[in-house]
Amino acid sequence: MASLAQQFGGLKCPPISTTMNKFSSSKNHCYRVMPRRRSIISAAASPVLADAQTRERMKLKEMFEDAYERCRTTPMEGVAFTIDDFHSAIEKYDFDSEIGTKVKGMVFNTDGNGALVDITAKSSAYLPVREASIHSIRHVEEAGIVPGVREEFVIIGENEADDSLILSLRSIQYDLAWERCRQLQGEDVVVKGKVVGANKGGIVALVEGLRGFVPFSQISTKSTAEELLEKEIPLKFVEVDEEQSRLVLSNRKAMADSQAQLGIGSVVIGTVQSLKPYGAFIDIGGINGLLHVSQISHDRVSDIATVLQPGDTLKVMILSHDRERGRVSLSTKKLEPTPGDMIRNPKLVFEKAEEMAQTFRQRIAQAEAMARADMLRFQSESGLTLSSEGILGPLTSDLPAEGLDLSELPPAED
């Protein structure tokens, strides 16, 4: 055993008997003996460790062989993500990056110049502040663009420096605005427009984010363009042409529409806006009506300024209302209790206005009833009927089916 210890421990030592004697008599010899005992234990355990390592290697080898066999024979067994799932994922995150393509993305960062948007591309896309809204804004947050917001964008360009895409919301909003204007025109509704500019032909107003043109001839008020700046006025659509970028509006038609409930014979309160040789323009709730000089009084008015002055408030009666052209004809003459009262006593005219207007409406109703009675009597006696176009048509088969057009007949001779 002493020789075996020398072989593994590499130490020269006396026989065991000698060693034991020295161990009992000296502590120093004890330290020389201990390495020999550990070496003997290690040498004895080496075969056991080697067997354990061999078994572990064999176990790993069997595992690898089994895994290889499964990959070769049944590669997709137990795998939840299939080939079809892979192709679906590719289609989901693959998109066309051509200019004009619409993509969906999520805003994940904003700065003073715009916003970074994740559109699942190889690099992030950028939304400049000028493309964030159809309206003029100074920061994207004014348009509701904040981190976490998901929107649909349109690709309008590419940044050559880093190959990132440039996006726009403004282009999409423009398309929607034109569509909305066409819809509103079809519905013939009145909208509000903010006056933002003017030129020699009219004013410029913002409607649904688009800049529309309102000719001076289509403005009912006599206010100057400078006076209308930054004010909202009622408007109606005249022309909506996206291809030509033409948006023409009318304030006159809008005001006439707002006064649609005012029929002939209605009494309204107005303010004199301006005087002309032929009459006075009266503002009646935002629409200008003409009080012709012949409709001021039964007595002759040689100088309108002697009766009316700009800024005067008065009551007038509506004689006619052309909604298409946005024109309203007015009268104070029909409100006079006695001829000439508008010149001599206008206060009395305004006090009796509703009463005189009621009398006027009754006379109109009586005249219309008499006209209908005369028409019915004419039809029964002549066997003819008169169309709204002034054409006589037959009640019998003796006349042509299309009737007789009396408008072509020459005037009677004396």
Side-chain angles (χ1 to χ4, degrees), residues 260-336:
Q261 72 277 10
L262 301 177
I264 295 176
S266 298
V267 175
V268 294
I269 297 176
T271 303
V272 179
Q273 294 293 308
S274 61
L275 301 180
K276 301 294 181 182
Y278 52 83
F281 284 98
I282 313 296
D283 180 7
I284 49 173
I287 185 171
N288 269 346
L290 175 62
L291 176 60
H292 195 270
V293 63
S294 64
Q295 287 297 327
I296 294 178
S297 176
H298 284 84
D299 289 356
R300 184 176 179 274
V301 178
S302 56
D303 185 4
I304 300 176
T306 61
V307 183
L308 300 172
Q309 287 293 322
D312 288 351
T313 299
L314 70 165
K315 289 184 178 181
V316 292
M317 189 179 71
I318 296 177
L319 282 183
S320 65
H321 188 182
D322 188 341
R323 293 184 59 189
E324 183 65 26
R325 302 175 66 182
R327 295 180 178 179
V328 178
S329 296
L330 307 172
S331 175
T332 53
K333 175 181 177 179
K334 304 297 183 183
L335 302 178
E336 290 183 322

Side-chain angles (χ1 to χ4, degrees), residues 87-395:
H87 288 305
S88 298
I90 293 295
E91 294 177 359
K92 179 179 179 181
Y93 292 102
D94 186 27
F95 63 91
D96 186 3
S97 61
E98 294 293 327
I99 292 178
T101 302
K102 291 183 179 180
V103 295
K104 292 183 178 181
M106 184 182 72
V107 178
F108 66 89
N109 190 27
T110 61
D111 55 32
N113 298 318
L116 287 170
V117 184
D118 179 13
I119 56 173
T120 66
K122 61 181 180 181
S123 61
S124 60
Y126 194 69
L127 174 69
V129 64
R130 66 179 181 277
E131 294 295 334
S133 176
I134 195 173
H135 303 286
S136 178
I137 59 175
R138 304 179 71 177
H139 195 278
V140 292
E141 290 182 351
E142 297 177 32
I145 305 301
V146 295
V149 169
R150 295 181 180 272
E151 287 283 357
E152 184 178 52
F153 306 87
V154 62
I155 300 174
I156 62 171
E158 183 177 355
N159 190 342
E160 296 181 357
D162 57 4
D163 292 333
S164 63
L165 299 175
I166 300 176
L167 306 178
S168 175
L169 279 173
R170 185 168 172 261
S171 299
I172 295 177
Q173 292 173 358
Y174 262 119
D175 293 340
L176 293 175
W178 279 106
E179 181 179 350
R180 177 61 175 160
C181 287
R182 286 192 294 269
Q183 178 185 356
L184 293 173
Q185 183 189 30
E187 296 174 357
D188 195 33
V189 298
V190 176
V191 298
K192 289 286 187 179
K194 184 178 181 180
V195 180
V196 295
N199 54 41
K200 63 180 181 180
I203 60 176
V204 178
L206 280 179
V207 177
E208 296 293 326
L210 300 177
R211 295 170 70 89
F213 178 65
V214 186
F216 283 129
S217 62
Q218 292 299 317
I219 300 177
S220 64
T221 178
K222 291 302 178 181
S223 302
T224 64
E226 291 74 15
E227 293 172 340
L228 292 174
L229 281 176
E230 299 303 318
K231 292 183 178 180
E232 285 193 345
I233 59 175
L235 298 166
K236 292 190 74 171
F237 294 93
V238 176
E239 182 179 358
V240 180
D241 189 341
E242 182 178 3
E243 293 184 0
Q244 300 296 325
S245 296
R246 283 176 56 84
L247 184 62
V248 183
L249 307 161
S250 173
N251 169 250
R252 186 179 293 276
K253 287 187 176 182
M255 296 308 302
D257 189 74
S258 66
Q259 298 287 336
Q261 72 277 10
L262 301 177
I264 295 176
S266 298
V267 175
V268 294
I269 297 176
T271 303
V272 179
Q273 294 293 308
S274 61
L275 301 180
K276 301 294 181 182
Y278 52 83
F281 284 98
I282 313 296
D283 180 7
I284 49 173
I287 185 171
N288 269 346
L290 175 62
L291 176 60
H292 195 270
V293 63
S294 64
Q295 287 297 327
I296 294 178
S297 176
H298 284 84
D299 289 356
R300 184 176 179 274
V301 178
S302 56
D303 185 4
I304 300 176
T306 61
V307 183
L308 300 172
Q309 287 293 322
D312 288 351
T313 299
L314 70 165
K315 289 184 178 181
V316 292
M317 189 179 71
I318 296 177
L319 282 183
S320 65
H321 188 182
D322 188 341
R323 293 184 59 189
E324 183 65 26
R325 302 175 66 182
R327 295 180 178 179
V328 178
S329 296
L330 307 172
S331 175
T332 53
K333 175 181 177 179
K334 304 297 183 183
L335 302 178
E336 290 183 322
T338 56
D341 280 344
M342 190 60 195
I343 298 175
R344 296 185 297 270
N345 190 3
K347 183 178 179 181
L348 176 63
V349 175
F350 303 150
E351 290 176 352
K352 298 286 186 179
E354 284 75 14
E355 181 182 337
M356 296 303 299
Q358 178 64 25
T359 302
F360 175 80
R361 289 193 293 269
Q362 290 175 352
R363 289 202 299 264
I364 292 294
Q366 292 173 358
E368 289 177 348
M370 292 177 62
R372 286 194 295 269
D374 290 342
M375 178 58 66
L376 293 174
R377 187 166 51 253
F378 170 79
Q379 291 176 353
S380 63
E381 293 176 355
S382 65
L384 299 176
T385 182
L386 185 65
S387 70
S388 59
E389 290 81 13
I391 300 177
L392 282 175
L395 291 177

